[in-house]
Amino acid sequence: MPTIGFVYPDHAAEDDYPLAERILGDGTALRVEHIYGTDLHAVPELLDLGSPARLSDGAALLAKHAPDAVVWACTSGSFVYGWDGAAEQVAGLSEAAGGLPASSTSLAFVHAAQTLGVRTVAVAASYPDDVARLFADFLGRAGIEVVSASAADIDTAAEVGNLPAERVVDLAVRHDHPDADALLIPDTAMRTLALVDDLEHRLGKPVLTANQVTVWEGLRIAGATGTYDGLGTLLRTGRRR
């Protein structure tokens, strides 16, 4: 089974990854290493957080795990670079990791939506409004229509990581939209993996969350093809193109 390495910013909801490893339960290893920047959902700080130098440091930290693929486990620190910049970012991460397959959470959202045939989405974002709009723009560039986007205006990832489960569920349920094929929750600082199945049951549609799609993307680019219960429709389908 593959070993997948995740470059994770600071500390917030990284315990979603060992939880995912336990849910997968097939020997897949999910290894997390941290890089550090200013813990603020603001464009200049996010550009610094996802810079080539910081991601190169993350790739170096992951090397001891001998991963088969690496993923930049940050949504805002990837989409803030725009569509072309996000592609350049993961190309640089791949190069820093010795040519391994690489991706990011923003690209994972796009690939996941495409795999499920999702064309319209609602976004329940923790970010300030200006940052949330950049995510909507990123999705639009990929041909995914955002029919509704909310911004909870939470300034730091640490604050997001401290949200209780009931607040996360409320955020998701209140900001779904009847015209959306799926609901997207785009912050890897938010603990969501234990909530995905319940949210899908409540809303009656796929729910894509940042840590969920990041794990899925790691499996996809590592060539894994298994199906898994307990992590939503996306992992249950087994489709990874």
Side-chain angles (χ1 to χ4, degrees):
M1 302 307 295
T3 296
I4 304 165
F6 300 93
V7 180
Y8 189 94
D10 297 292
H11 294 275
E14 64 268 31
D15 49 349
D16 262 2
Y17 293 86
L19 172 60
E21 186 177 277
R22 293 193 297 274
I23 293 172
L24 296 177
D26 62 356
T28 298
L30 307 181
R31 299 292 178 256
V32 177
E33 294 290 346
H34 298 267
I35 59 173
Y36 299 93
T38 302
D39 181 25
L40 190 64
H41 288 145
V43 172
E45 286 76 10
L46 293 169
L47 289 169
D48 175 71
L49 189 62
S51 67
R54 292 196 187 276
L55 293 188
S56 181
D57 288 345
L61 291 169
L62 285 170
K64 62 179 175 287
H65 302 295
D68 297 292
V70 295
V71 186
W72 170 218
C74 183
T75 323
S76 54
S78 46
F79 69 68
V80 75
Y81 279 83
W83 182 256
D84 293 334
E88 293 172 3
Q89 185 184 57
V90 298
L93 176 59
S94 174
E95 182 179 359
L100 292 174
S103 192
S104 69
T105 305
S106 291
L107 293 174
F109 270 111
V110 171
H111 297 153
Q114 291 172 340
T115 293
L116 294 179
V118 166
R119 298 181 180 277
T120 59
V121 301
V123 174
S126 58
Y127 314 125
D129 184 66
D130 62 330
V131 177
R133 286 199 305 270
L134 291 176
F135 183 54
D137 292 344
F138 186 88
L139 295 172
R141 177 65 175 77
I144 300 167
E145 181 184 357
V146 178
V147 295
S148 175
S150 66
D153 202 29
I154 301 174
D155 287 331
T156 69
E159 292 174 85
V160 175
N162 285 326
L163 292 176
E166 58 269 23
R167 174 87 183 277
V168 175
V169 170
D170 178 67
L171 178 73
V173 172
R174 283 193 297 111
H175 295 295
D176 185 31
H177 191 281
D179 294 335
D181 297 332
L183 175 71
L184 276 55
I185 305 175
D187 196 341
T188 59
M190 189 181 293
R191 290 179 177 84
T192 56
L193 286 192
L195 306 174
V196 174
D197 278 355
D198 178 56
L199 287 172
E200 290 195 340
H201 178 72
R202 290 184 184 217
L203 300 178
K205 65 183 63 174
V207 173
L208 301 177
T209 80
N211 289 325
Q212 174 213 36
V213 301
T214 302
V215 169
W216 176 87
E217 183 80 336
L219 293 167
R220 186 186 73 83
I221 64 176
T225 58
T227 61
Y228 305 94
D229 290 325
L231 291 168
T233 300
L234 180 64
L235 276 291
R236 200 160 49 243
T237 65
R239 292 178 292 170
R240 299 185 178 88
R241 68 185 185 188

